[in-house]
């Protein structure tokens, strides 16, 4: 089965909760999944050849949380072309703000620009509609896990 690095960007813990639930679902389906809080460049490098699942919230004006921003900057400024990368994105946000799910959308746009291949559709979770994000993310992860090889 697949190995998945789950890279988390969180402010208040919701993204971490979603990531931990995703880890349990992936493992229950026979995959090896590891949650990586405060991900660094070395975590990304150690995950090469495996799947990446980005689970991030959004802050301010569509910005990434401080816990995952350094990884984003490393990917943007150092890594470059990643055609062998297969990934998924779960973006948490609040549609009452202008830049809804901006953090996850930034990650997806960067990885697309770098030639990476997204598995499935990006999941956008709206805190104003769904105060318990795992109720939306869990079914998505169950389906996403079936797409992994």
């Amino acid at each position: 089965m697949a190995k998945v690095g789950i890279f988390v960007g969180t402010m208040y813990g919701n993204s971490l909760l979603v990531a931990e639930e995703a880890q349990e679902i992936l493992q229950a389906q026979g995959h090896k999944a590891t949650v990586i809080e405060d991900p660094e460049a070395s975590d990304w490098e150690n995950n090469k050849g495996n799947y990446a699942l980005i689970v991030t919230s959004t802050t301010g004006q569509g910005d990434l949380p401080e816990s995952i921003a350094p990884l984003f900057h490393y990917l943007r400024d150092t890594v470059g072309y990643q055609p062998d990368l297969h990934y998924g994105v779960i973006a948490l946000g609040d549609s009452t703000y202008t830049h809804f799910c901006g953090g996850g959308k930034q990650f997806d746009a960067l990885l697309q620009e770098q030639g990476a291949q997204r598995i499935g559709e990006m999941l956008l979770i709206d805190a104003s509609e769904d105060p318990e994000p795992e109720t939306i993310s869990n079914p998505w992860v169950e389906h996403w896990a079936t797409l992994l090889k």
Side-chain angles (χ1 to χ4, degrees):
M1 298 309 290
K3 289 185 180 179
V4 181
I6 305 173
F7 297 86
V8 181
T10 193
M11 287 291 295
Y12 303 112
N14 284 338
S15 294
L16 180 58
L17 171 67
V18 167
E20 289 171 342
E21 296 260 339
Q23 179 183 33
E24 289 180 22
I25 292 166
L26 289 163
Q27 289 175 340
Q29 291 196 20
H31 301 293
K32 182 175 173 27
T34 305
V35 172
I36 305 162
E37 289 183 72
D38 302 315
E40 299 177 353
S42 60
D43 297 315
W44 191 262
E45 294 302 321
N46 290 336
N47 194 63
K48 275 199 172 169
N50 300 322
Y51 291 89
L53 178 58
I54 309 298
V55 181
T56 188
S57 59
T58 301
T59 66
Q61 297 299 308
D63 300 321
L64 290 159
E66 288 182 20
S67 63
I68 201 166
L71 176 64
F72 179 86
H73 296 132
Y74 167 73
L75 295 175
R76 182 190 66 202
D77 301 337
T78 305
V79 173
Y81 194 53
Q82 301 186 78
D84 296 330
L85 174 65
H86 294 82
Y87 73 97
V89 176
I90 299 175
L92 288 82
D94 187 328
S95 64
T96 62
Y97 289 89
T98 304
H99 302 283
F100 174 60
C101 288
K105 289 176 181 177
Q106 281 185 60
F107 244 104
D108 183 57
L110 174 65
L111 295 175
Q112 288 288 301
E113 183 180 303
Q114 294 179 332
Q117 301 170 46
R118 187 178 62 226
I119 304 297
E121 295 299 316
M122 182 170 50
L123 176 62
L124 306 177
I125 301 176
D126 185 354
S128 65
E129 301 269 328
D130 301 296
E132 296 179 354
E134 69 278 7
T135 62
I136 303 301
S137 63
N138 286 355
W140 182 91
V141 173
E142 287 173 9
H143 173 70
W144 190 76
T146 66
L147 303 176
L148 307 180
K149 297 178 180 171

